[in-house]
Amino acid sequence: MLDRKFINYEFDPSEKKVTRWEIAQFAKAIRDFNPIYFDINEAKKHKYKDIPVPPTFYTKYTFSGEKNFFTTLGIDYRKLLDGGREFKYYSQCVAGNIVEYQTKVENIVEKEGKRGKMDIVTAITSGKNRETNEKLWDTAITLVVYH
Amino acid sequence: MLNNRYFKDIFEGMELPEVAKGPITRIQLVDYASASGDYNKLHYDEAFAKKAGLQGPIAHGMLVMAMVGSYITDMVKDGALKIFKIRFAGMTNENDTLTFKGKVVKLYQENDENLVEIEVASQTQDNRITTQGSAIVSLK
């Protein structure tokens, strides 16, 4: 059972510059060859200021800070199941943006399932554009940790 | 397929065309490990995956979610994704081919935006559902 003192725990924020190269690398890896991810003229034709990020690009920024999320909370990988993800999008992030994001543990609750008792951990990572302070996205992470 | 030009033609219950992608090769799993930064060996080291009780490497859940994301953005073209959520329902194995499906479940207007809610899922060649989820898209 995980320590409830981590409810509302905030990890240190992180900052990353989004590059065209990383977007192209990500789009290739997911086998999405939409030219807006590779060609600046195509991106501009579709009214983007620069190459836009694909919807799940923020997976790269799932957890902020230097400290490892799982070891900090004392989560044993062998008892862990990824319950799912939810992304909320507020404005479009494009190459050249510097993003600032921070992870917070929202809640830890106990449930009982077929495989016995478990803790459901929900964490939210929120990202913004550092220059404009505009909110970009939220990632809600749901993890199942068996006792 | 789903944009404002065709808003009048979209209806609740409308099925989106199915799209198959794959097979998901070891090379793709290595490409995704590198692009996402998730280097868990379960996704590309066969001996490690077998030791963990699997038949072989499995795809990253977030790789499958990303492929569902591409399916949605291909369908909605310049529409803006507002919410995208996925529940992992089963494992996607190396060499699986995935079929992506979608269905319009709700059409509504909010703050002068035309919004569409769709349900999405990915399914393997042997009919195992690996992800289920939904998305809300603002049409342009």
Side-chain angles (χ1 to χ4, degrees):
Chain A
M1 183 163 152
L2 303 174
D3 195 329
R4 267 49 181 173
K5 74 176 182 198
F6 289 109
I7 295 172
N8 290 324
Y9 183 86
E10 288 187 357
F11 286 81
D12 287 338
S14 290
E15 199 178 281
K16 293 274 160 56
K17 182 164 184 172
V18 178
T19 67
R20 288 183 188 178
W21 187 87
E22 283 177 303
I23 296 173
Q25 182 202 27
F26 191 89
K28 269 185 213 157
I30 66 172
R31 305 296 189 256
D32 187 333
F33 299 105
N34 188 334
I36 60 170
Y37 300 131
F38 302 93
D39 180 343
I40 182 64
N41 294 320
E42 281 294 325
K44 287 193 168 159
K45 229 188 263 175
H46 292 269
K47 315 273 187 241
Y48 296 107
K49 287 181 188 153
D50 206 305
I51 301 282
V53 300
T56 66
F57 183 80
Y58 303 122
T59 303
K60 292 167 75 77
Y61 313 138
T62 304
F63 299 112
S64 71
E66 293 298 315
K67 286 204 295 198
N68 182 288
F69 180 89
F70 300 95
T71 48
T72 301
L73 268 71
I75 295 174
D76 180 344
Y77 283 102
R78 290 166 302 181
K79 296 179 179 174
L80 173 68
L81 264 185
D82 194 336
R85 288 290 193 291
E86 176 170 353
F87 291 103
K88 285 188 184 160
Y89 305 96
Y90 301 95
S91 53
Q92 181 66 50
C93 176
V94 297
N97 287 164
I98 296 169
V99 298
E100 193 183 304
Y101 58 99
Q102 187 166 21
T103 304
K104 182 181 176 185
V105 177
E106 286 283 305
N107 211 352
I108 306 174
V109 293
E110 189 180 82
K111 283 199 177 167
E112 185 141 16
K114 273 180 276 178
R115 279 172 56 184
K117 285 188 178 170
M118 57 188 133
D119 284 330
I120 310 285
V121 181
T122 46
I124 298 208
T125 297
S126 297
K128 64 176 184 179
N129 181 324
R130 203 195 64 183
E131 286 141 301
T132 63
N133 226 16
E134 202 175 14
K135 199 167 161 111
L136 290 171
W137 85 94
D138 284 333
T139 307
I141 305 131
T142 308
L143 301 168
V144 180
V145 186
Y146 288 96
H147 285 188
Chain B
M1 168 93 212
L2 291 184
N3 60 40
N4 255 341
R5 210 174 123 206
Y6 304 114
F7 192 68
K8 61 177 172 32
D9 303 321
I10 304 169
F11 55 93
E12 289 175 10
M14 177 182 173
E15 309 251 354
L16 304 180
E18 292 185 3
V19 174
K21 278 193 186 182
I24 294 174
T25 61
R26 184 80 55 95
I27 292 172
Q28 184 174 6
L29 296 176
V30 171
D31 283 350
Y32 187 77
S34 168
S36 67
D38 181 347
Y39 286 103
N40 187 331
K41 286 184 181 176
L42 282 180
H43 305 302
Y44 54 85
D45 183 331
E46 192 154 348
F48 185 87
K50 284 186 170 162
K51 226 175 172 179
L54 301 167
Q55 300 168 356
I58 55 165
H60 304 72
M62 291 307 296
L63 166 59
V64 181
M65 182 171 186
M67 293 173 81
V68 177
S70 297
Y71 172 70
I72 297 167
T73 49
D74 282 349
M75 289 291 154
V76 300
K77 299 293 175 205
D78 288 335
L81 203 49
K82 314 276 275 185
I83 292 180
F84 177 26
K85 57 180 161 188
I86 283 289
R87 187 179 69 81
F88 301 112
M91 281 185 275
T92 299
N93 299 312
E94 177 186 29
N95 296 324
D96 276 350
T97 293
L98 293 174
T99 297
F100 301 97
K101 308 167 172 216
K103 187 178 170 182
V104 174
V105 291
K106 198 174 161 192
L107 278 174
Y108 59 109
Q109 285 183 313
E110 208 174 80
N111 304 324
D112 287 331
E113 283 184 303
N114 287 330
L115 301 172
V116 181
E117 183 179 341
I118 57 181
E119 271 177 9
V120 284
S122 61
Q123 191 175 341
T124 61
Q125 64 287 338
D126 49 353
N127 299 322
R128 286 176 293 112
I129 302 281
T130 63
T131 62
Q132 278 178 314
S134 65
I136 294 175
V137 183
S138 163
L139 300 182
K140 278 182 187 158

